[in-house]
């Protein structure tokens, strides 16, 4: 499970549940997290040079789960689609129970549009943001270019649902879309159709106070800032 020598990673673990074997034995379920030591040293160096006091380092999904799920007992999948990777995480009662990362994300969608329409990546990014999956007629080829990558993410989500049922005896009851690509037009509707469960867009500002003049921006920024806000409230909850 750890694709590097143990001497090159920092390990942490947390108890995330308990399970009974067919023989009647009760065993603790433990989530093991490993981070390359070199990455930790890099962040320590950045903070030191910036004159900042580094209190803690945390896996992004843990931060996102804190603000998006908290202690809510509903079994939830968080799909964080960023620019370079997508993280699919199983959360129960605020605890990260399982997670998988794939190298299919926003940059792949933009590059596919750029290649398919013979345009530059910047223009492709603009088309993706303004049209998304909700295109018809002459523009339908845009979504055709995107769907193969979306379906890769979708298939990984289905595997995570199966893993949850097999390993924890619980089926996720909802999905929260996070990351910049959560704002992709038509994505939430497509996932709902394919998975037959509630799909929500991350609303990171719901549990914090903020200036009222930010209100028009919160729905768009909520998915993007989920990790930052979740990390920010770490010492407050």
């Amino acid at each position: 499970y750890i694709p590097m020598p143990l001497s090159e990673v920092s390990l942490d673990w947390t108890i995330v549940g308990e399970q009974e074997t067919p023989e009647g034995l009760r065993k603790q379920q433990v989530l093991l997290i490993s981070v390359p030591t070199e990455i930790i040293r890099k962040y320590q160096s950045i903070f030191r040079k910036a004159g900042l006091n580094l209190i803690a380092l945390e896996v992004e999904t843990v931060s996102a789960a804190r603000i998006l799920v908290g202690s809510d007992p509903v079994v939830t999948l968080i799909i964080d689609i960023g620019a370079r990777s997508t993280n699919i995480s199983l959360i129960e009662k605020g605890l990260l129970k399982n997670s998988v990362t794939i190298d299919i994300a926003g940059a792949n969608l933009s590059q596919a549009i750029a290649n398919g329409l013979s345009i530059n990546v910047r223009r492709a990014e603009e088309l993706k943001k303004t049209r998304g999956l909700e295109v018809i007629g002459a523009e339908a080829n845009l979504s055709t270019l995107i769907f193969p990558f979306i379906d890769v993410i979708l298939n990984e989500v289905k595997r995570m649902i199966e893993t949850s049922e097999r390993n924890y005896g619980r089926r996720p009851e909802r999905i929260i879309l996070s990351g910049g690509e959560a704002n992709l037009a038509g994505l939430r509707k497509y996932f709902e159709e394919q998975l037959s469960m509630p799909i929500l867009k991350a609303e990171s500002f719901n549990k914090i106070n903020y200036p009222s003049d930010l209100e028009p921006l919160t729905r768009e920024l909520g998915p993007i800032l989920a990790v930052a806000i979740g990390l920010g409230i770490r010492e407050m909850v």
Side-chain angles (χ1 to χ4, degrees):
Y1 293 120
I2 302 176
M4 297 179 66
L6 293 182
S7 60
E8 297 178 14
V9 299
S10 295
L11 294 175
D12 198 4
W13 58 271
T14 182
I15 297 173
V16 296
E18 198 175 66
Q19 191 175 41
E20 185 171 336
T21 68
E23 294 78 22
L25 297 175
R26 301 195 68 82
K27 294 187 176 182
Q28 289 181 329
Q29 295 173 318
V30 177
L31 176 69
L32 183 67
I33 299 173
S34 68
V35 179
T37 305
E38 184 58 34
I39 291 180
I40 292 177
R41 289 173 180 164
K42 174 184 175 182
Y43 279 113
Q44 290 173 331
S45 175
I46 290 172
F47 278 80
R48 185 170 56 252
K49 291 178 180 178
L52 298 173
N53 180 28
L54 180 59
I55 297 175
L57 290 169
E58 188 169 72
V59 176
E60 289 186 358
T61 304
V62 174
S63 301
R66 182 178 297 115
I67 191 66
L68 298 179
V69 181
S71 58
D72 192 329
V74 175
V75 182
T76 304
L77 284 184
I78 296 178
I79 307 176
D80 184 353
I81 310 177
R84 299 184 181 278
S85 64
T86 294
N87 188 275
I88 304 163
S89 303
L90 177 66
I91 311 295
E92 184 176 6
K93 297 179 182 179
L95 294 174
L96 172 62
K97 304 199 75 169
N98 207 327
S99 182
V100 64
T101 300
I102 58 175
D103 295 328
I104 297 293
N108 300 98
L109 306 184
S110 299
Q111 191 63 57
I113 294 171
N115 294 341
L117 301 182
S118 299
I119 57 177
N120 62 52
V121 175
R122 178 174 296 181
R123 174 57 180 156
E125 184 74 18
E126 293 174 357
L127 283 174
K128 182 182 69 175
K129 288 181 177 179
T130 56
R131 312 292 170 80
L133 303 179
E134 295 180 339
V135 290
I136 58 175
E139 297 176 344
N141 61 332
L142 179 64
S143 60
T144 302
L145 297 170
I146 296 176
F147 271 122
F149 296 94
I150 297 297
D151 285 341
V152 171
I153 297 174
L154 184 64
N155 288 334
E156 288 298 329
V157 172
K158 291 177 179 178
R159 289 192 184 96
M160 182 62 82
I161 293 173
E162 293 172 356
T163 297
S164 178
E165 292 178 316
R166 181 176 63 252
N167 293 351
Y168 307 105
R170 298 282 298 276
R171 179 180 175 84
E173 299 175 48
R174 68 181 176 189
I175 288 175
I176 298 178
L177 294 176
S178 184
E181 299 306 307
N183 292 316
L184 190 67
L187 181 64
R188 187 174 69 86
K189 179 181 177 182
Y190 181 65
F191 271 36
E192 280 186 340
E193 292 172 348
Q194 298 298 314
L195 298 170
S196 300
M197 71 170 63
I199 310 293
L200 310 174
K201 192 164 77 167
E203 296 183 353
S204 308
F205 289 85
N206 280 0
K207 298 179 182 178
I208 63 172
N209 295 321
Y210 55 88
S212 58
D213 55 353
L214 287 178
E215 185 66 39
L217 300 174
T218 56
R219 288 191 63 79
E220 180 179 353
L221 293 177
I224 299 172
L225 297 179
V227 171
I229 295 175
L231 184 59
I233 67 170
R234 184 178 188 272
E235 301 299 321
M236 305 176 191
V237 296

